[in-house]
Amino acid sequence: MKDSEIRLKIKLDKDSIPETITWDATDKDIPGEEETKAFNLAIWDHNTLSTLRIDLWNKEMPVDEMKRFYVDCLGGLAQSILNSTGDEFMSSAMNRLCDKLVKHLEEENGQNQQ
């Protein structure tokens, strides 16, 4: 049996706000720590039948990138639900929501450039 590890390091400022976030994983193609601006982690607690979540972003994460990040996460979840359960209805509904959100972001971006 093989062990696989994912490591996250968060450097906090004096007010405990993330300044830098780095990550590494034993199964990455290119070894070594990489910096990121945000991550979210969801863990299923089978005892309470609920999700434990950690959402962190650093001070440098722009709002437009944060919105795109969450749309991308939702799209990834749509693919995961299809892969793990075969539920095409849920996957399609989530993808339709992603399409609406992308359109919203495009419209919002167009308004901000005027």
Side-chain angles (χ1 to χ4, degrees), residues 40-98:
N40 64 25
L41 175 66
I43 299 172
W44 180 249
D45 183 339
H46 66 275
N47 294 315
T48 62
L49 300 179
S50 63
T51 302
L52 308 170
R53 295 180 26 164
I54 300 172
D55 299 301
L56 288 179
W57 54 93
N58 72 12
K59 297 176 182 182
E60 305 302 317
M61 183 73 169
V63 170
D64 60 328
E65 287 183 28
M66 180 63 80
K67 291 178 182 182
R68 167 96 189 256
F69 172 63
Y70 281 110
V71 172
D72 285 352
C73 287
L74 184 57
L77 289 172
Q79 186 61 52
S80 291
I81 194 74
L82 183 62
N83 294 346
S84 64
T85 68
D87 191 326
E88 291 183 17
F89 176 83
M90 283 186 71
S91 179
S92 293
M94 293 168 77
N95 278 319
R96 284 191 305 275
L97 176 57
C98 285

Side-chain angles (χ1 to χ4, degrees), residues 6 31 37 74 88 96 100 105:
I6 300 169
K37 293 179 182 178
L74 184 57
E88 291 183 17
R96 284 191 305 275
K100 287 174 70 172
L105 293 178

Side-chain angles (χ1 to χ4, degrees), residues 1-18:
M1 191 173 284
K2 175 184 169 185
D3 285 340
S4 183
E5 204 172 287
I6 300 169
R7 291 177 299 283
L8 295 161
K9 286 186 187 175
I10 296 91
K11 292 191 180 183
L12 306 172
D13 69 8
K14 63 180 174 49
D15 297 317
S16 295
I17 296 173

